[in-house]
Amino acid sequence: YGGASVDVNSVGEAIRAADADVVGVQEPEANLAELARVSGMPHYEPSLHLLSRYPILPAERNGIPFAYLEVEPDRVVAIANGHLLCCPYGPNLAAKGKTAEQVEAVESRLRMPEAQRYGRALASLADDGVPTFMTGDFNSPSHLDWTADAVAARDLPYELDWPASQALADAGLRDTYREDHPD
């Protein structure tokens, strides 16, 4: 909720209504501590823009910052909260008439390397037996979005297998929202 003026109380209410255990916040500016307070989240980590019901232990693997959340004594999960490069934004390029190949080339050059770095680091945590999650602003649609069915149902110019989210899926991460909402 970056550059715009934000009602922190409304965001806090939304977090409380969601009954979230952890929230990855994007562009919190100087509002993270206040957001933690109004949302009732007892723990927050400014460097990772995380709010949590559980203690947060910042860490890093292969240059990727993440946190361990202590969900029970001697039991942790890992979470990264990423923010991939924003510009140029692929859907805007498509709307301006760029071809699928041109858009995919930009995505592959800008966001996919970042996503691959996150994917490698998070996959290694999962390989170590740590339940691992990622939240974030990927500044790109999901590879599950611009399918033939979606093109037929919406005003999309073409199918596109968005590289950043595909790189995360290739690393073993799953889109849990899509698993809960397959349509």
Side-chain angles (χ1 to χ4, degrees), residues 110-157:
L110 294 180
R111 282 172 274 286
M112 189 172 65
E114 290 181 302
Q116 288 173 323
R117 285 193 297 276
Y118 274 100
R120 283 191 300 272
L122 298 177
S124 72
L125 288 164
D127 289 346
D128 290 346
V130 179
T132 304
F133 303 88
M134 182 173 186
T135 60
D137 181 349
F138 304 121
N139 281 305
S140 176
S142 169
H143 65 286
L144 302 171
D145 289 343
W146 286 31
T147 63
D149 289 342
V151 168
R154 298 179 35 214
D155 187 24
L156 298 176

mmCIF file of all heavy atoms in Angstrom, residues 110-157:
data_model
loop_
_atom_site.group_PDB
_atom_site.id
_atom_site.type_symbol
_atom_site.label_atom_id
_atom_site.label_comp_id
_atom_site.label_asym_id
_atom_site.label_seq_id
_atom_site.Cartn_x
_atom_site.Cartn_y
_atom_site.Cartn_z
ATOM 1 N N LEU A 110 14.314 -9.508 -16.423
ATOM 2 C CA LEU A 110 14.205 -8.703 -15.205
ATOM 3 C C LEU A 110 13.794 -9.492 -13.964
ATOM 4 O O LEU A 110 14.471 -9.441 -12.943
ATOM 5 C CB LEU A 110 13.199 -7.568 -15.417
ATOM 6 C CG LEU A 110 13.586 -6.507 -16.422
ATOM 7 C CD1 LEU A 110 12.493 -5.462 -16.520
ATOM 8 C CD2 LEU A 110 14.906 -5.872 -16.043
ATOM 9 N N ARG A 111 12.661 -10.154 -14.025
ATOM 10 C CA ARG A 111 12.105 -10.761 -12.813
ATOM 11 C C ARG A 111 12.481 -12.220 -12.607
ATOM 12 O O ARG A 111 12.595 -12.677 -11.483
ATOM 13 C CB ARG A 111 10.585 -10.589 -12.794
ATOM 14 C CG ARG A 111 10.193 -9.174 -12.370
ATOM 15 C CD ARG A 111 8.714 -8.904 -12.529
ATOM 16 N NE ARG A 111 8.352 -8.466 -13.851
ATOM 17 C CZ ARG A 111 8.594 -7.247 -14.351
ATOM 18 N NH1 ARG A 111 9.212 -6.339 -13.628
ATOM 19 N NH2 ARG A 111 8.211 -6.932 -15.568
ATOM 20 N N MET A 112 12.670 -12.953 -13.677
ATOM 21 C CA MET A 112 12.960 -14.371 -13.513
ATOM 22 C C MET A 112 14.257 -14.619 -12.732
ATOM 23 O O MET A 112 14.271 -15.484 -11.848
ATOM 24 C CB MET A 112 13.000 -15.102 -14.852
ATOM 25 C CG MET A 112 13.091 -16.606 -14.629
ATOM 26 S SD MET A 112 12.922 -17.586 -16.118
ATOM 27 C CE MET A 112 14.352 -17.110 -17.034
ATOM 28 N N PRO A 113 15.354 -13.886 -12.972
ATOM 29 C CA PRO A 113 16.553 -14.150 -12.174
ATOM 30 C C PRO A 113 16.323 -13.939 -10.667
ATOM 31 O O PRO A 113 16.830 -14.714 -9.852
ATOM 32 C CB PRO A 113 17.585 -13.150 -12.723
ATOM 33 C CG PRO A 113 17.125 -12.888 -14.124
ATOM 34 C CD PRO A 113 15.622 -12.917 -14.058
ATOM 35 N N GLU A 114 15.561 -12.917 -10.320
ATOM 36 C CA GLU A 114 15.242 -12.703 -8.905
ATOM 37 C C GLU A 114 14.423 -13.868 -8.359
ATOM 38 O O GLU A 114 14.698 -14.374 -7.269
ATOM 39 C CB GLU A 114 14.429 -11.422 -8.716
ATOM 40 C CG GLU A 114 15.172 -10.146 -8.957
ATOM 41 C CD GLU A 114 14.265 -8.947 -8.725
ATOM 42 O OE1 GLU A 114 13.211 -8.839 -9.396
ATOM 43 O OE2 GLU A 114 14.610 -8.142 -7.845
ATOM 44 N N ALA A 115 13.418 -14.280 -9.108
ATOM 45 C CA ALA A 115 12.568 -15.387 -8.671
ATOM 46 C C ALA A 115 13.388 -16.662 -8.546
ATOM 47 O O ALA A 115 13.185 -17.438 -7.594
ATOM 48 C CB ALA A 115 11.412 -15.577 -9.652
ATOM 49 N N GLN A 116 14.308 -16.897 -9.445
ATOM 50 C CA GLN A 116 15.151 -18.090 -9.367
ATOM 51 C C GLN A 116 16.016 -18.073 -8.115
ATOM 52 O O GLN A 116 16.198 -19.115 -7.476
ATOM 53 C CB GLN A 116 16.018 -18.213 -10.618
ATOM 54 C CG GLN A 116 15.232 -18.613 -11.843
ATOM 55 C CD GLN A 116 16.058 -18.573 -13.108
ATOM 56 O OE1 GLN A 116 16.905 -17.698 -13.300
ATOM 57 N NE2 GLN A 116 15.791 -19.514 -14.007
ATOM 58 N N ARG A 117 16.540 -16.903 -7.751
ATOM 59 C CA ARG A 117 17.347 -16.810 -6.520
ATOM 60 C C ARG A 117 16.497 -17.146 -5.299
ATOM 61 O O ARG A 117 16.935 -17.890 -4.418
ATOM 62 C CB ARG A 117 17.984 -15.427 -6.403
ATOM 63 C CG ARG A 117 19.162 -15.231 -7.344
ATOM 64 C CD ARG A 117 19.982 -13.991 -7.030
ATOM 65 N NE ARG A 117 19.241 -12.737 -7.181
ATOM 66 C CZ ARG A 117 19.073 -12.099 -8.332
ATOM 67 N NH1 ARG A 117 19.558 -12.587 -9.445
ATOM 68 N NH2 ARG A 117 18.406 -10.967 -8.372
ATOM 69 N N TYR A 118 15.278 -16.577 -5.233
ATOM 70 C CA TYR A 118 14.374 -16.927 -4.138
ATOM 71 C C TYR A 118 14.071 -18.419 -4.167
ATOM 72 O O TYR A 118 14.091 -19.093 -3.135
ATOM 73 C CB TYR A 118 13.055 -16.132 -4.222
ATOM 74 C CG TYR A 118 13.107 -14.786 -3.560
ATOM 75 C CD1 TYR A 118 13.282 -13.629 -4.320
ATOM 76 C CD2 TYR A 118 12.975 -14.661 -2.182
ATOM 77 C CE1 TYR A 118 13.329 -12.382 -3.714
ATOM 78 C CE2 TYR A 118 13.015 -13.422 -1.566
ATOM 79 C CZ TYR A 118 13.197 -12.285 -2.333
ATOM 80 O OH TYR A 118 13.241 -11.050 -1.725
ATOM 81 N N GLY A 119 13.765 -18.932 -5.348
ATOM 82 C CA GLY A 119 13.419 -20.342 -5.477
ATOM 83 C C GLY A 119 14.518 -21.263 -4.987
ATOM 84 O O GLY A 119 14.257 -22.222 -4.249
ATOM 85 N N ARG A 120 15.758 -20.990 -5.372
ATOM 86 C CA ARG A 120 16.882 -21.836 -4.930
ATOM 87 C C ARG A 120 17.045 -21.792 -3.420
ATOM 88 O O ARG A 120 17.208 -22.824 -2.766
ATOM 89 C CB ARG A 120 18.179 -21.404 -5.625
ATOM 90 C CG ARG A 120 18.301 -21.876 -7.053
ATOM 91 C CD ARG A 120 19.694 -21.652 -7.615
ATOM 92 N NE ARG A 120 20.090 -20.255 -7.628
ATOM 93 C CZ ARG A 120 19.846 -19.400 -8.636
ATOM 94 N NH1 ARG A 120 19.200 -19.812 -9.707
ATOM 95 N NH2 ARG A 120 20.257 -18.154 -8.565
ATOM 96 N N ALA A 121 16.996 -20.591 -2.850
ATOM 97 C CA ALA A 121 17.183 -20.465 -1.399
ATOM 98 C C ALA A 121 16.050 -21.149 -0.644
ATOM 99 O O ALA A 121 16.291 -21.882 0.328
ATOM 100 C CB ALA A 121 17.274 -18.986 -1.011
ATOM 101 N N LEU A 122 14.821 -20.922 -1.079
ATOM 102 C CA LEU A 122 13.682 -21.494 -0.363
ATOM 103 C C LEU A 122 13.606 -23.002 -0.567
ATOM 104 O O LEU A 122 13.253 -23.740 0.360
ATOM 105 C CB LEU A 122 12.400 -20.799 -0.786
ATOM 106 C CG LEU A 122 12.374 -19.293 -0.473
ATOM 107 C CD1 LEU A 122 11.091 -18.666 -0.987
ATOM 108 C CD2 LEU A 122 12.572 -19.019 1.005
ATOM 109 N N ALA A 123 13.952 -23.489 -1.744
ATOM 110 C CA ALA A 123 13.967 -24.933 -1.988
ATOM 111 C C ALA A 123 14.985 -25.613 -1.078
ATOM 112 O O ALA A 123 14.737 -26.712 -0.571
ATOM 113 C CB ALA A 123 14.271 -25.226 -3.452
ATOM 114 N N SER A 124 16.121 -24.959 -0.852
ATOM 115 C CA SER A 124 17.128 -25.573 0.021
ATOM 116 C C SER A 124 16.624 -25.656 1.467
ATOM 117 O O SER A 124 16.935 -26.607 2.175
ATOM 118 C CB SER A 124 18.464 -24.826 -0.064
ATOM 119 O OG SER A 124 18.410 -23.575 0.579
ATOM 120 N N LEU A 125 15.833 -24.673 1.897
ATOM 121 C CA LEU A 125 15.225 -24.751 3.232
ATOM 122 C C LEU A 125 14.236 -25.903 3.301
ATOM 123 O O LEU A 125 14.220 -26.682 4.261
ATOM 124 C CB LEU A 125 14.519 -23.439 3.571
ATOM 125 C CG LEU A 125 15.425 -22.254 3.869
ATOM 126 C CD1 LEU A 125 14.644 -20.951 3.790
ATOM 127 C CD2 LEU A 125 16.055 -22.423 5.232
ATOM 128 N N ALA A 126 13.397 -26.022 2.268
ATOM 129 C CA ALA A 126 12.432 -27.120 2.225
ATOM 130 C C ALA A 126 13.153 -28.464 2.179
ATOM 131 O O ALA A 126 12.728 -29.424 2.842
ATOM 132 C CB ALA A 126 11.497 -26.948 1.035
ATOM 133 N N ASP A 127 14.251 -28.525 1.437
ATOM 134 C CA ASP A 127 15.036 -29.764 1.381
ATOM 135 C C ASP A 127 15.596 -30.130 2.750
ATOM 136 O O ASP A 127 15.815 -31.309 3.045
ATOM 137 C CB ASP A 127 16.187 -29.639 0.387
ATOM 138 C CG ASP A 127 15.730 -29.625 -1.065
ATOM 139 O OD1 ASP A 127 14.551 -29.986 -1.335
ATOM 140 O OD2 ASP A 127 16.543 -29.227 -1.929
ATOM 141 N N ASP A 128 15.819 -29.131 3.587
ATOM 142 C CA ASP A 128 16.287 -29.366 4.956
ATOM 143 C C ASP A 128 15.152 -29.785 5.890
ATOM 144 O O ASP A 128 15.367 -29.974 7.083
ATOM 145 C CB ASP A 128 16.950 -28.101 5.532
ATOM 146 C CG ASP A 128 18.284 -27.779 4.884
ATOM 147 O OD1 ASP A 128 18.845 -28.655 4.189
ATOM 148 O OD2 ASP A 128 18.764 -26.646 5.085
ATOM 149 N N GLY A 129 13.924 -29.864 5.346
ATOM 150 C CA GLY A 129 12.782 -30.287 6.154
ATOM 151 C C GLY A 129 12.028 -29.154 6.829
ATOM 152 O O GLY A 129 11.179 -29.397 7.687
ATOM 153 N N VAL A 130 12.322 -27.916 6.447
ATOM 154 C CA VAL A 130 11.652 -26.757 7.045
ATOM 155 C C VAL A 130 10.446 -26.388 6.182
ATOM 156 O O VAL A 130 10.613 -26.085 4.991
ATOM 157 C CB VAL A 130 12.604 -25.548 7.145
ATOM 158 C CG1 VAL A 130 11.906 -24.340 7.748
ATOM 159 C CG2 VAL A 130 13.849 -25.905 7.945
ATOM 160 N N PRO A 131 9.230 -26.399 6.736
ATOM 161 C CA PRO A 131 8.089 -25.900 5.952
ATOM 162 C C PRO A 131 8.380 -24.459 5.524
ATOM 163 O O PRO A 131 8.753 -23.622 6.351
ATOM 164 C CB PRO A 131 6.915 -25.970 6.929
ATOM 165 C CG PRO A 131 7.336 -26.992 7.946
ATOM 166 C CD PRO A 131 8.835 -26.835 8.063
ATOM 167 N N THR A 132 8.227 -24.181 4.244
ATOM 168 C CA THR A 132 8.712 -22.916 3.678
ATOM 169 C C THR A 132 7.618 -22.232 2.873
ATOM 170 O O THR A 132 6.919 -22.863 2.100
ATOM 171 C CB THR A 132 9.932 -23.203 2.784
ATOM 172 O OG1 THR A 132 10.918 -23.888 3.571
ATOM 173 C CG2 THR A 132 10.532 -21.927 2.243
ATOM 174 N N PHE A 133 7.515 -20.907 3.071
ATOM 175 C CA PHE A 133 6.477 -20.100 2.437
ATOM 176 C C PHE A 133 7.105 -18.847 1.849
ATOM 177 O O PHE A 133 8.165 -18.408 2.276
ATOM 178 C CB PHE A 133 5.419 -19.680 3.472
ATOM 179 C CG PHE A 133 4.784 -20.847 4.163
ATOM 180 C CD1 PHE A 133 5.343 -21.380 5.316
ATOM 181 C CD2 PHE A 133 3.635 -21.420 3.648
ATOM 182 C CE1 PHE A 133 4.768 -22.470 5.954
ATOM 183 C CE2 PHE A 133 3.050 -22.512 4.280
ATOM 184 C CZ PHE A 133 3.621 -23.038 5.433
ATOM 185 N N MET A 134 6.384 -18.258 0.900
ATOM 186 C CA MET A 134 6.807 -16.975 0.344
ATOM 187 C C MET A 134 5.578 -16.127 0.085
ATOM 188 O O MET A 134 4.584 -16.590 -0.465
ATOM 189 C CB MET A 134 7.575 -17.151 -0.958
ATOM 190 C CG MET A 134 8.067 -15.833 -1.521
ATOM 191 S SD MET A 134 9.151 -16.059 -2.935
ATOM 192 C CE MET A 134 9.670 -14.360 -3.187
ATOM 193 N N THR A 135 5.667 -14.887 0.519
ATOM 194 C CA THR A 135 4.679 -13.876 0.168
ATOM 195 C C THR A 135 5.413 -12.828 -0.651
ATOM 196 O O THR A 135 6.636 -12.821 -0.705
ATOM 197 C CB THR A 135 4.061 -13.213 1.422
ATOM 198 O OG1 THR A 135 5.115 -12.596 2.180
ATOM 199 C CG2 THR A 135 3.344 -14.230 2.296
ATOM 200 N N GLY A 136 4.674 -11.929 -1.260
ATOM 201 C CA GLY A 136 5.381 -10.873 -1.942
ATOM 202 C C GLY A 136 4.596 -10.207 -3.044
ATOM 203 O O GLY A 136 3.456 -10.543 -3.338
ATOM 204 N N ASP A 137 5.263 -9.250 -3.635
ATOM 205 C CA ASP A 137 4.773 -8.553 -4.815
ATOM 206 C C ASP A 137 5.711 -8.954 -5.937
ATOM 207 O O ASP A 137 6.849 -8.510 -6.000
ATOM 208 C CB ASP A 137 4.806 -7.043 -4.586
ATOM 209 C CG ASP A 137 4.283 -6.260 -5.776
ATOM 210 O OD1 ASP A 137 4.080 -6.854 -6.856
ATOM 211 O OD2 ASP A 137 4.088 -5.039 -5.635
ATOM 212 N N PHE A 138 5.231 -9.847 -6.801
ATOM 213 C CA PHE A 138 6.068 -10.363 -7.869
ATOM 214 C C PHE A 138 6.034 -9.464 -9.096
ATOM 215 O O PHE A 138 6.776 -9.682 -10.044
ATOM 216 C CB PHE A 138 5.653 -11.786 -8.219
ATOM 217 C CG PHE A 138 5.694 -12.688 -7.018
ATOM 218 C CD1 PHE A 138 4.566 -13.341 -6.590
ATOM 219 C CD2 PHE A 138 6.860 -12.849 -6.292
ATOM 220 C CE1 PHE A 138 4.585 -14.149 -5.471
ATOM 221 C CE2 PHE A 138 6.903 -13.654 -5.171
ATOM 222 C CZ PHE A 138 5.758 -14.309 -4.758
ATOM 223 N N ASN A 139 5.156 -8.452 -9.080
ATOM 224 C CA ASN A 139 5.047 -7.518 -10.203
ATOM 225 C C ASN A 139 4.908 -8.248 -11.529
ATOM 226 O O ASN A 139 5.430 -7.809 -12.555
ATOM 227 C CB ASN A 139 6.228 -6.553 -10.222
ATOM 228 C CG ASN A 139 6.037 -5.439 -9.212
ATOM 229 O OD1 ASN A 139 5.031 -4.754 -9.244
ATOM 230 N ND2 ASN A 139 6.984 -5.288 -8.302
ATOM 231 N N SER A 140 4.178 -9.345 -11.485
ATOM 232 C CA SER A 140 3.979 -10.173 -12.659
ATOM 233 C C SER A 140 2.796 -11.088 -12.388
ATOM 234 O O SER A 140 2.644 -11.576 -11.272
ATOM 235 C CB SER A 140 5.243 -11.011 -12.892
ATOM 236 O OG SER A 140 5.066 -11.901 -13.957
ATOM 237 N N PRO A 141 1.984 -11.356 -13.389
ATOM 238 C CA PRO A 141 0.933 -12.350 -13.190
ATOM 239 C C PRO A 141 1.534 -13.730 -12.944
ATOM 240 O O PRO A 141 2.712 -13.979 -13.203
ATOM 241 C CB PRO A 141 0.163 -12.330 -14.508
ATOM 242 C CG PRO A 141 0.469 -11.014 -15.114
ATOM 243 C CD PRO A 141 1.882 -10.706 -14.686
ATOM 244 N N SER A 142 0.711 -14.619 -12.504
ATOM 245 C CA SER A 142 1.122 -16.004 -12.323
ATOM 246 C C SER A 142 1.127 -16.733 -13.664
ATOM 247 O O SER A 142 0.321 -16.439 -14.549
ATOM 248 C CB SER A 142 0.148 -16.702 -11.369
ATOM 249 O OG SER A 142 0.370 -18.094 -11.360
ATOM 250 N N HIS A 143 1.992 -17.718 -13.764
ATOM 251 C CA HIS A 143 1.996 -18.582 -14.950
ATOM 252 C C HIS A 143 0.677 -19.351 -15.057
ATOM 253 O O HIS A 143 0.381 -19.911 -16.101
ATOM 254 C CB HIS A 143 3.179 -19.548 -14.905
ATOM 255 C CG HIS A 143 3.115 -20.540 -13.789
ATOM 256 N ND1 HIS A 143 3.366 -20.189 -12.482
ATOM 257 C CD2 HIS A 143 2.793 -21.844 -13.787
ATOM 258 C CE1 HIS A 143 3.216 -21.255 -11.713
ATOM 259 N NE2 HIS A 143 2.872 -22.275 -12.484
ATOM 260 N N LEU A 144 -0.107 -19.359 -13.992
ATOM 261 C CA LEU A 144 -1.406 -20.030 -13.995
ATOM 262 C C LEU A 144 -2.524 -19.113 -14.488
ATOM 263 O O LEU A 144 -3.665 -19.553 -14.599
ATOM 264 C CB LEU A 144 -1.731 -20.531 -12.584
ATOM 265 C CG LEU A 144 -0.706 -21.488 -11.976
ATOM 266 C CD1 LEU A 144 -1.026 -21.748 -10.510
ATOM 267 C CD2 LEU A 144 -0.637 -22.773 -12.769
ATOM 268 N N ASP A 145 -2.212 -17.847 -14.784
ATOM 269 C CA ASP A 145 -3.247 -16.862 -15.109
ATOM 270 C C ASP A 145 -3.594 -16.743 -16.584
ATOM 271 O O ASP A 145 -4.758 -16.728 -16.945
ATOM 272 C CB ASP A 145 -2.842 -15.468 -14.614
ATOM 273 C CG ASP A 145 -2.887 -15.328 -13.109
ATOM 274 O OD1 ASP A 145 -3.526 -16.162 -12.446
ATOM 275 O OD2 ASP A 145 -2.276 -14.372 -12.600
ATOM 276 N N TRP A 146 -2.622 -16.586 -17.446
ATOM 277 C CA TRP A 146 -2.895 -16.270 -18.845
ATOM 278 C C TRP A 146 -2.942 -17.550 -19.678
ATOM 279 O O TRP A 146 -2.147 -17.753 -20.588
ATOM 280 C CB TRP A 146 -1.865 -15.287 -19.381
ATOM 281 C CG TRP A 146 -2.054 -13.876 -18.878
ATOM 282 C CD1 TRP A 146 -2.563 -13.487 -17.677
ATOM 283 C CD2 TRP A 146 -1.727 -12.682 -19.559
ATOM 284 N NE1 TRP A 146 -2.558 -12.127 -17.568
ATOM 285 C CE2 TRP A 146 -2.052 -11.603 -18.725
ATOM 286 C CE3 TRP A 146 -1.177 -12.407 -20.807
ATOM 287 C CZ2 TRP A 146 -1.854 -10.282 -19.086
ATOM 288 C CZ3 TRP A 146 -0.963 -11.084 -21.170
ATOM 289 C CH2 TRP A 146 -1.317 -10.042 -20.318
ATOM 290 N N THR A 147 -3.894 -18.386 -19.350
ATOM 291 C CA THR A 147 -4.090 -19.659 -20.039
ATOM 292 C C THR A 147 -5.073 -19.471 -21.198
ATOM 293 O O THR A 147 -5.697 -18.419 -21.330
ATOM 294 C CB THR A 147 -4.663 -20.696 -19.065
ATOM 295 O OG1 THR A 147 -5.955 -20.222 -18.625
ATOM 296 C CG2 THR A 147 -3.744 -20.892 -17.863
ATOM 297 N N ALA A 148 -5.244 -20.512 -21.987
ATOM 298 C CA ALA A 148 -6.209 -20.459 -23.097
ATOM 299 C C ALA A 148 -7.610 -20.167 -22.571
ATOM 300 O O ALA A 148 -8.341 -19.362 -23.157
ATOM 301 C CB ALA A 148 -6.184 -21.771 -23.876
ATOM 302 N N ASP A 149 -7.983 -20.790 -21.455
ATOM 303 C CA ASP A 149 -9.309 -20.539 -20.870
ATOM 304 C C ASP A 149 -9.447 -19.087 -20.428
ATOM 305 O O ASP A 149 -10.490 -18.465 -20.633
ATOM 306 C CB ASP A 149 -9.572 -21.464 -19.679
ATOM 307 C CG ASP A 149 -9.792 -22.910 -20.095
ATOM 308 O OD1 ASP A 149 -10.075 -23.164 -21.285
ATOM 309 O OD2 ASP A 149 -9.674 -23.783 -19.206
ATOM 310 N N ALA A 150 -8.412 -18.545 -19.826
ATOM 311 C CA ALA A 150 -8.467 -17.151 -19.361
ATOM 312 C C ALA A 150 -8.531 -16.183 -20.536
ATOM 313 O O ALA A 150 -9.258 -15.190 -20.493
ATOM 314 C CB ALA A 150 -7.261 -16.839 -18.477
ATOM 315 N N VAL A 151 -7.786 -16.468 -21.588
ATOM 316 C CA VAL A 151 -7.816 -15.618 -22.782
ATOM 317 C C VAL A 151 -9.224 -15.605 -23.366
ATOM 318 O O VAL A 151 -9.739 -14.561 -23.779
ATOM 319 C CB VAL A 151 -6.767 -16.079 -23.818
ATOM 320 C CG1 VAL A 151 -6.985 -15.392 -25.160
ATOM 321 C CG2 VAL A 151 -5.360 -15.799 -23.307
ATOM 322 N N ALA A 152 -9.882 -16.777 -23.386
ATOM 323 C CA ALA A 152 -11.239 -16.861 -23.928
ATOM 324 C C ALA A 152 -12.253 -16.138 -23.041
ATOM 325 O O ALA A 152 -13.234 -15.577 -23.536
ATOM 326 C CB ALA A 152 -11.649 -18.326 -24.084
ATOM 327 N N ALA A 153 -12.007 -16.124 -21.735
ATOM 328 C CA ALA A 153 -12.978 -15.549 -20.796
ATOM 329 C C ALA A 153 -12.744 -14.069 -20.504
ATOM 330 O O ALA A 153 -13.670 -13.372 -20.091
ATOM 331 C CB ALA A 153 -12.940 -16.323 -19.478
ATOM 332 N N ARG A 154 -11.533 -13.582 -20.717
ATOM 333 C CA ARG A 154 -11.192 -12.210 -20.341
ATOM 334 C C ARG A 154 -10.559 -11.498 -21.513
ATOM 335 O O ARG A 154 -10.276 -12.089 -22.543
ATOM 336 C CB ARG A 154 -10.223 -12.228 -19.150
ATOM 337 C CG ARG A 154 -10.826 -12.868 -17.928
ATOM 338 C CD ARG A 154 -9.893 -12.933 -16.734
ATOM 339 N NE ARG A 154 -9.002 -11.803 -16.606
ATOM 340 C CZ ARG A 154 -7.763 -11.905 -16.133
ATOM 341 N NH1 ARG A 154 -7.298 -13.044 -15.743
ATOM 342 N NH2 ARG A 154 -7.002 -10.843 -16.035
ATOM 343 N N ASP A 155 -10.291 -10.240 -21.319
ATOM 344 C CA ASP A 155 -9.685 -9.434 -22.374
ATOM 345 C C ASP A 155 -8.156 -9.526 -22.278
ATOM 346 O O ASP A 155 -7.476 -8.543 -21.971
ATOM 347 C CB ASP A 155 -10.163 -7.983 -22.237
ATOM 348 C CG ASP A 155 -9.700 -7.125 -23.407
ATOM 349 O OD1 ASP A 155 -9.438 -7.686 -24.489
ATOM 350 O OD2 ASP A 155 -9.604 -5.901 -23.228
ATOM 351 N N LEU A 156 -7.622 -10.720 -22.533
ATOM 352 C CA LEU A 156 -6.177 -10.924 -22.544
ATOM 353 C C LEU A 156 -5.749 -11.128 -23.995
ATOM 354 O O LEU A 156 -6.433 -11.811 -24.758
ATOM 355 C CB LEU A 156 -5.796 -12.147 -21.711
ATOM 356 C CG LEU A 156 -6.151 -12.085 -20.225
ATOM 357 C CD1 LEU A 156 -5.805 -13.409 -19.544
ATOM 358 C CD2 LEU A 156 -5.444 -10.932 -19.539
ATOM 359 N N PRO A 157 -4.614 -10.581 -24.398
ATOM 360 C CA PRO A 157 -4.232 -10.654 -25.809
ATOM 361 C C PRO A 157 -3.731 -12.028 -26.257
ATOM 362 O O PRO A 157 -3.813 -12.356 -27.440
ATOM 363 C CB PRO A 157 -3.126 -9.609 -25.929
ATOM 364 C CG PRO A 157 -2.562 -9.500 -24.549
ATOM 365 C CD PRO A 157 -3.712 -9.751 -23.615
#
